[in-house]
Amino acid sequence: MRTQAESSKFYEPIVPSDQIQYREYKLLLKPERFPDEKAFHKFWKLAHHAAKSLGIKLGKIDESVKPHQREVVFYDTPHFKLYNHGFILRKRTFYHHGLPDAKHELVIKFRHPEKKTALAVDPRPLLPCAYTLKFKEEILLPKDGALGMRLVYSHNCELDTPNIILTQRFETTAEAFPALKKIDANPKAALSVVNGVSIQEYQVDLGMLDFGHKLEAKATLAVWRVRTTNTPIVAEFGYQLKFDSPEAVRRKQRELSEFFYTALQSRASDWVQRGTTKTALIYGYGNTSLKHDE
């Protein structure tokens, strides 16, 4: 691991080009609606009809659904200091033919409803590894259970197989991720897997959404289960827009992407799980009190 002084030589400040280039729509669904492969096709039909009613194209789902399998684990201090301050530290390991890949993805993200607050937090690491910085608009369901949407900003850094032990003292982890130094966590507290829950994720590509004028998004559906018991936790339908800047997206295309989000909520009302997020569900598994409300 390089020292902080060595790393600071190539540590560049965040510039305007690092600002919003993604808009990700997330629609939580009831996991019990996905007991088998047929359920993915049923939901695709709902999405297809919602898209068609708005003049949006949705590509066909493969006849034989082949989910991508991944293990997802969150890390935090015993009192969840990261999450209570808006941070998420998540490791995702990919599986091929039932075996874990040697590489993994580590994501540190900071989420906040205020754009300036989210942008001001720099999630980049002081680690010698490849990483991708993303500043996103995340579209989530309203907290009150109503039809509609709400917006939070997410400043993410995705690291490719970093050489770091995650179950170590907070002060050591904070040296690798300087953004965490502002958290009032006990420096000697060791990070561990949040509530001891390891998640098995099954993700299926449902097809490409075409909103017109070259604005497309891949639609995916992921189901989370507790890895040790196969107990269903939650499912999520999502699609993400990528653009050079929000101003580069035409108003009509942006509105179509929003209309589709609400139209699908209405058409699939019996499938939608309201009032939470995937991360909040994992943190809610234990008895530790939470001060952060997503």
Side-chain angles (χ1 to χ4, degrees):
M1 181 186 301
R2 291 178 182 172
T3 65
Q4 182 170 344
E6 290 172 337
S7 298
S8 64
K9 295 177 182 176
F10 58 85
Y11 202 68
E12 300 293 335
I14 291 178
V15 296
S17 60
D18 295 323
Q19 296 195 21
I20 299 171
Q21 293 182 304
Y22 301 87
R23 171 176 268 217
E24 187 174 13
Y25 292 82
K26 298 181 176 184
L27 184 64
L28 285 196
L29 304 171
K30 298 171 182 174
E32 61 271 20
R33 298 300 301 253
F34 297 92
D36 53 34
E37 181 180 317
K38 293 180 182 177
F40 290 92
H41 289 278
K42 287 181 180 177
F43 191 82
W44 179 88
K45 288 181 180 178
L46 290 171
H48 172 70
H49 288 309
K52 188 177 180 180
S53 69
L54 295 168
I56 301 166
K57 296 178 182 177
L58 174 61
K60 290 186 177 180
I61 184 175
D62 291 338
E63 284 296 324
S64 179
V65 172
K66 296 179 180 178
H68 303 290
Q69 293 186 32
R70 302 183 287 200
E71 179 190 44
V72 181
V73 178
F74 295 86
Y75 291 88
D76 210 323
T77 66
H79 297 289
F80 298 160
K81 289 291 187 177
L82 272 66
Y83 187 64
N84 286 333
H85 286 80
F87 285 95
I88 295 171
L89 184 62
R90 183 192 69 206
K91 179 181 178 182
R92 179 176 277 154
T93 303
F94 299 86
Y95 276 67
H96 301 286
H97 306 293
L99 298 175
D101 195 298
K103 290 190 171 183
H104 67 272
E105 173 195 272
L106 182 67
V107 173
I108 180 170
K109 66 167 68 176
F110 177 78
R111 289 203 290 207
H112 198 276
E114 298 294 332
K115 178 182 175 181
K116 287 184 178 179
T117 303
L119 185 60
V121 174
D122 186 348
R124 291 176 296 175
L126 291 178
L127 293 170
C129 67
Y131 63 78
T132 303
L133 189 66
K134 295 181 178 179
F135 190 47
K136 295 183 180 183
E137 292 176 333
E138 290 191 1
I139 307 299
L140 309 176
L141 289 167
K143 293 182 180 180
D144 60 4
L147 186 76
M149 65 182 77
R150 63 187 171 99
L151 169 65
V152 297
Y153 294 91
S154 178
H155 211 172
N156 301 4
C157 192
E158 300 176 1
L159 289 70
D160 183 1
T161 321
N163 183 19
I164 182 172
I165 298 172
L166 295 170
T167 52
Q168 58 185 337
R169 290 180 174 180
F170 173 79
E171 60 185 354
T172 307
T173 302
E175 285 297 324
F177 299 101
L180 298 178
K181 291 185 175 180
K182 295 181 179 180
I183 294 176
D184 60 342
N186 178 356
K188 308 301 180 187
L191 273 68
S192 62
V193 175
V194 171
N195 290 324
V197 177
S198 173
I199 302 144
Q200 186 74 49
E201 180 184 66
Y202 300 90
Q203 180 172 301
V204 172
D205 296 336
L206 293 189
M208 292 298 295
L209 285 161
D210 185 350
F211 298 103
H213 288 281
K214 299 181 180 180
L215 186 66
E216 294 184 323
K218 182 168 72 175
T220 62
L221 203 160
V223 178
W224 281 15
R225 295 177 177 273
V226 177
R227 186 173 179 79
T228 53
T229 64
N230 206 33
T231 305
I233 303 172
V234 71
E236 182 181 86
F237 173 75
Y239 54 102
Q240 178 173 271
L241 308 178
K242 172 75 169 66
F243 38 75
D244 293 333
S245 70
E247 294 75 20
V249 179
R250 295 190 179 195
R251 178 180 175 181
K252 180 179 178 182
Q253 274 57 55
R254 189 189 71 248
E255 289 180 346
L256 274 177
S257 70
E258 295 173 351
F259 291 158
F260 174 65
Y261 185 71
T262 53
L264 187 54
Q265 288 176 51
S266 178
R267 193 173 288 266
S269 58
D270 292 341
W271 298 62
V272 175
Q273 180 161 321
R274 301 185 180 277
T276 186
T277 68
K278 288 192 299 183
T279 308
L281 282 169
I282 301 305
Y283 274 84
Y285 253 72
N287 298 319
T288 304
S289 61
L290 298 174
K291 298 178 182 178
H292 180 53
D293 180 15
E294 287 193 299

